[in-house]
């Protein structure tokens, strides 16, 4: 995302039903059109009276929150995080056949986790282990080394200087309509829709030091 105030809700990069049968159409509609839209609206509302920040990108708002006025800092962090995380999450899934082609990321996964299977197991455990609402992230540090982190609510890896590679939203709104309370089944379905070709693109951006996940 290179945008700044007023932020907009970017359309999904695929049809609402593109992730069937793994992620259902109604969930995608509500998740994108209502949940993400609410974060966009609330971010704009928080920033409306503060023109000094109308040129700031999402990334700048998320990494420079310390310099925001105290009265809007929390609202901006939560809602900018909600926008950033959802766009990243939606962009990280697809129905395209090539989504299993992880390219250079595959080698890095084997290097840092031992095997692809080991990585998937660790990532699933992290996603299961998010208490309440949040995300599990695959991230790269400044040396390109991969790691898995759990973050609550709409916190982002950017705030801790990590470069995002892949993310799963485990808020219940991401799966409740189809999977009810069975987060493990949702995670398995997310694995089937996850776009590792796109994650590899993000990883290569991390290596290049660009750190602009949705540029
Ligand atoms: Mn969500």
């Amino acid at each position: 995302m290179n945008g700044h105030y007023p932020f907009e809700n970017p359309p999904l990069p695929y049809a609402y039903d593109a992730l069937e049968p793994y992620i259902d159409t109604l969930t995608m509609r509500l998740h994108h059109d209502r949940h993400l839209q609410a974060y966009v609206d609330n971010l704009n509302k928080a920033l409306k009276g503060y023109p000094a920040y109308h040129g700031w990108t999402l990334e700048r708002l998320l990494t420079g929150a310390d310099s925001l006025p105290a009265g809007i800092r929390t609202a901006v962090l939560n809602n900018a995080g909600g926008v950033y995380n959802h766009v990243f999450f939606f962009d990280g899934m697809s129905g395209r056949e090539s989504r299993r082609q992880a390219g250079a990321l595959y080698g890095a996964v084997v290097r840092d986790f031992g095997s692809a299977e080991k990585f998937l197991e660790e990532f699933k455990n992290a996603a299961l282990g998010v208490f309440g609402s949040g995300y599990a992230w695959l991230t790269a540090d400044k040396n390109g080394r991969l790691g898995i982190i759990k973050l609550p609510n709409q916190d982002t890896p950017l705030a801790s200087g990590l470069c995002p590679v892949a993310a799963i939203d485990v808020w219940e709104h991401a799966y409740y309509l189809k999977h009810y309370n069975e987060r493990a089944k949702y995670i398995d379905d997310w694995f089937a829709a996850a776009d590792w070709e796109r994650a590899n693109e993000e990883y290569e951006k991390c290596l290049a030091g660009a750190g602009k996940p949705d540029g």
Side-chain angles (χ1 to χ4, degrees):
M1 298 267 292
N2 288 325
H4 52 75
Y5 179 92
F7 290 95
E8 290 177 357
N9 186 353
L12 288 175
Y14 41 75
Y16 290 99
D17 63 356
L19 308 179
E20 294 274 6
Y22 308 112
I23 311 293
D24 61 290
T25 305
L26 182 58
T27 294
M28 291 305 298
R29 281 197 183 278
L30 297 177
H31 204 173
H32 176 272
D33 296 0
R34 295 188 184 218
H35 290 275
L36 171 51
Q37 187 66 49
Y39 288 109
V40 171
D41 293 344
N42 288 329
L43 176 58
N44 288 333
K45 200 187 296 176
L47 289 170
K48 189 173 184 198
Y50 298 83
Y53 305 98
H54 287 183
W56 284 35
T57 63
L58 269 185
E59 285 83 355
R60 191 169 174 200
L61 291 168
L62 289 166
T63 57
D66 287 352
S67 49
L68 294 171
I72 60 166
R73 191 178 301 144
T74 301
V76 168
L77 262 182
N78 286 343
N79 290 295
V83 175
Y84 180 89
N85 289 348
H86 279 104
V87 172
F88 194 90
F89 169 70
F90 291 141
D91 285 355
M93 298 182 286
S94 82
R96 56 182 182 175
E97 286 299 319
S98 58
R99 67 185 182 275
R100 298 177 206 286
Q101 304 301 317
L105 176 60
Y106 179 82
V109 161
V110 172
R111 179 195 66 207
D112 295 335
F113 296 98
S115 68
E117 292 70 26
K118 194 87 173 50
F119 159 70
L120 292 175
E121 185 188 331
E122 282 188 40
F123 196 78
K124 183 172 182 178
N125 285 337
L128 281 172
V130 174
F131 182 76
S133 297
Y135 293 70
W137 293 86
L138 174 65
T139 60
D141 68 15
K142 289 185 167 44
N143 300 313
R145 190 152 292 272
L146 296 170
I148 295 170
I149 57 168
K150 297 179 276 191
L151 289 175
N153 303 314
Q154 298 297 353
D155 288 2
T156 72
L158 302 181
S160 21
L162 292 167
C163 186
V165 175
I168 179 171
D169 181 348
V170 294
W171 286 59
E172 279 192 341
H173 66 234
Y175 61 90
Y176 198 84
L177 290 177
K178 173 176 161 67
H179 300 87
Y180 304 122
N181 62 334
E182 298 186 275
R183 191 188 286 184
K185 286 187 180 170
Y186 160 66
I187 296 167
D188 289 340
D189 275 343
W190 178 81
F191 278 133
D195 190 330
W196 298 106
E197 186 178 37
R198 188 265 183 173
N200 181 54
E201 290 164 14
E202 297 305 318
Y203 182 59
E204 290 185 339
K205 284 186 217 166
C206 295
L207 293 181
K212 299 290 185 189
D214 291 295

